[in-house]
Amino acid sequence: MKWEPDWSDIAENLVIGLMVVAAAAIFIVFCVCTWKDVTTERTIIMRDGNQSYACEISDISPTPSDCKPIEDTEE
């Protein structure tokens, strides 16, 4: 008697394996993106005339982003 593979079980195991690999890949991408933002961002001060702005730069993208005006705190 010749052994016949059960294709439905094989397909089910492949689908489960692919879902696990996809979930792991999504988790890794999320962690890397979060780590990149936390570890490489720095705040710099940029001036334009009399107005100062606090901007963020990173090693990956040195272009200033998320610039916010700095208000004077004179009393």
Side-chain angles (χ1 to χ4, degrees):
M1 185 169 164
K2 186 176 178 184
W3 177 77
E4 292 285 328
D6 187 1
W7 294 109
S8 63
D9 282 345
I10 293 171
E12 182 180 344
N13 289 336
L14 284 174
V15 168
I16 291 171
L18 288 174
M19 289 188 336
V20 168
V21 169
I26 291 169
F27 178 75
I28 289 170
V29 167
F30 174 76
C31 290
V32 167
C33 289
T34 302
W35 171 81
K36 171 192 68 89
D37 289 341
V38 170
T39 59
T40 64
E41 279 188 354
R42 292 185 302 275
T43 301
I44 62 169
I45 305 298
M46 298 183 68
R47 289 179 175 50
D48 182 22
N50 292 334
Q51 181 65 52
S52 296
Y53 298 91
C55 301
E56 294 183 357
I57 62 169
S58 71
D59 294 336
I60 295 168
S61 175
T63 304
S65 63
D66 196 24
C67 295
K68 297 177 183 163
I70 300 173
E71 302 296 328
D72 286 337
T73 58
E74 293 180 18
E75 295 179 16

